[in-house]
Amino acid sequence: MMQHIDVLIAEDNLIDQKLLSAYLEEYDITHIIVDSGEEAIKILQSVTFKLLLFDISLPGIDGYQLTKVVKEEMKITTPVVAITAYSIDEAKDKCFASGMNACFSKPISKIELVGMLTQFLPKEKLTSAHSRDFEVIDLSYLKEISLGDVDYEMEITNKFVETIESDLLELENSFHSKNAEQLSVVAHRTLSTIYIMGLKSKLESTLCAIEQDDLTYSELKTNLEHVYETCRAAKIEAKLFIEDLRNCKSY
């Protein structure tokens, strides 16, 4: 019976082995590490993988030759990603010619690696073992468009925190000054702000009702209170997410 593992790494450098292993363990991604092409071929006879990471400079059978054996002789269709100490521009043409699907260069970057994992592994695999469970925000869309870029996620989340604070203040001021026109404008703008943090299902209908300006005073107040409460809770969780991202970068 075939064993099923997420990732096979063929890498002979001990430091890079430890780096890759630490990054994958953070995401609970099962993996096996071998330090030669011969060992990789042997493992592939009894274990199936979702992704293969091959150093192109392996001793003996190098990453290019290993990929040809895997694709042409063993008829394995699993995606292969090259790890190279050369520049991407120098290596990519030969990588693709040998049947590899992508490549990234050393020194191994966690951000770049996670981007590769996002591209080739099932989405549910890319949930960090150290990430929090949030009750209000939903990071699915942000994770999808970021492709594992932690700096981008931090930038966008910081922007959300800043913008939602401004939107909530304007909503409150417009309501107290009874400026219905401005209230409608801000409600419409807030619709754009909330999408990135996955708040559409929680707030879209409420903000649309405020924007349309056909609520009684009591209904308007109730709807605004719901927006305030949800967005303030979302802002707290977004700040916790930023903290997680900072920890991730310093890992």
Side-chain angles (χ1 to χ4, degrees), residues 1-239:
M1 182 176 179
M2 293 287 280
Q3 186 180 0
H4 303 284
I5 303 289
D6 292 323
V7 179
L8 172 64
I9 301 167
E11 168 61 68
D12 65 317
N13 183 285
L14 183 59
I15 293 174
D16 290 331
Q17 286 180 359
K18 289 184 175 180
L19 268 178
L20 287 164
S21 184
Y23 293 156
L24 295 179
E25 284 172 2
E26 183 176 350
Y27 286 86
D28 275 349
I29 293 173
T30 57
H31 59 282
I32 292 175
I33 299 178
V34 297
D35 56 17
S36 72
E38 290 84 356
E39 285 185 83
I41 292 170
K42 185 176 180 180
I43 288 288
L44 284 164
Q45 292 171 353
S46 59
V47 183
T48 62
F49 297 89
K50 297 184 177 73
L51 179 64
L52 309 175
L53 300 181
F54 294 164
D55 185 343
I56 61 173
S57 300
L58 289 168
I61 299 177
D62 66 21
Y64 300 124
Q65 296 169 317
L66 177 58
T67 301
K68 284 185 174 293
V69 170
V70 167
K71 297 281 188 176
E72 297 175 11
E73 296 180 24
M74 302 181 77
K75 306 299 181 184
I76 293 172
T77 59
T78 304
V80 177
V81 174
I83 308 170
T84 175
Y86 304 103
S87 73
I88 294 297
D89 289 338
E90 290 178 41
K92 66 180 180 181
D93 288 342
K94 192 172 180 181
C95 287
F96 293 137
S98 69
M100 293 173 167
N101 301 87
C103 56
F104 67 95
S105 60
K106 299 181 181 182
I108 294 169
S109 158
K110 180 177 180 179
I111 292 173
E112 190 172 6
L113 175 64
V114 173
M116 288 294 178
L117 298 175
T118 303
Q119 183 177 355
F120 292 107
L121 289 184
K123 188 180 297 182
E124 63 270 15
K125 277 289 173 187
L126 273 296
T127 301
S128 173
H130 305 298
S131 65
R132 306 171 196 264
D133 293 323
F134 296 112
E135 295 182 2
V136 181
I137 61 175
D138 179 350
L139 299 171
S140 301
Y141 178 60
L142 176 60
K143 292 290 185 182
E144 182 178 341
I145 63 173
S146 74
L147 295 177
D149 188 331
V150 174
D151 288 323
Y152 177 78
E153 291 177 7
M154 190 177 296
E155 177 187 353
I156 293 297
T157 308
N158 271 314
K159 188 66 176 176
F160 166 78
V161 170
E162 294 170 6
T163 306
I164 203 64
E165 286 177 351
S166 175
D167 288 348
L168 291 179
L169 181 60
E170 285 196 58
L171 284 171
E172 191 170 3
N173 289 340
S174 300
F175 174 69
H176 288 308
S177 64
K178 298 181 180 179
N179 188 336
E181 183 178 348
Q182 182 62 19
L183 189 61
S184 177
V185 169
V186 179
H188 180 77
R189 189 175 68 221
T190 306
L191 277 168
S192 299
T193 306
I194 65 168
Y195 286 153
I196 196 65
M197 287 292 112
L199 300 174
K200 178 179 177 181
S201 62
K202 294 180 175 68
L203 290 178
E204 184 178 43
S205 61
T206 305
L207 285 166
C208 285
I210 295 170
E211 180 188 359
Q212 291 165 8
D213 189 27
D214 58 358
L215 301 174
T216 66
Y217 177 86
S218 177
E219 290 171 337
L220 179 58
K221 184 177 179 182
T222 299
N223 276 262
L224 283 169
E225 286 173 350
H226 174 60
V227 173
Y228 298 153
E229 181 181 346
T230 304
C231 287
R232 283 168 182 154
K235 187 174 69 173
I236 290 170
E237 290 189 350
K239 288 181 177 179

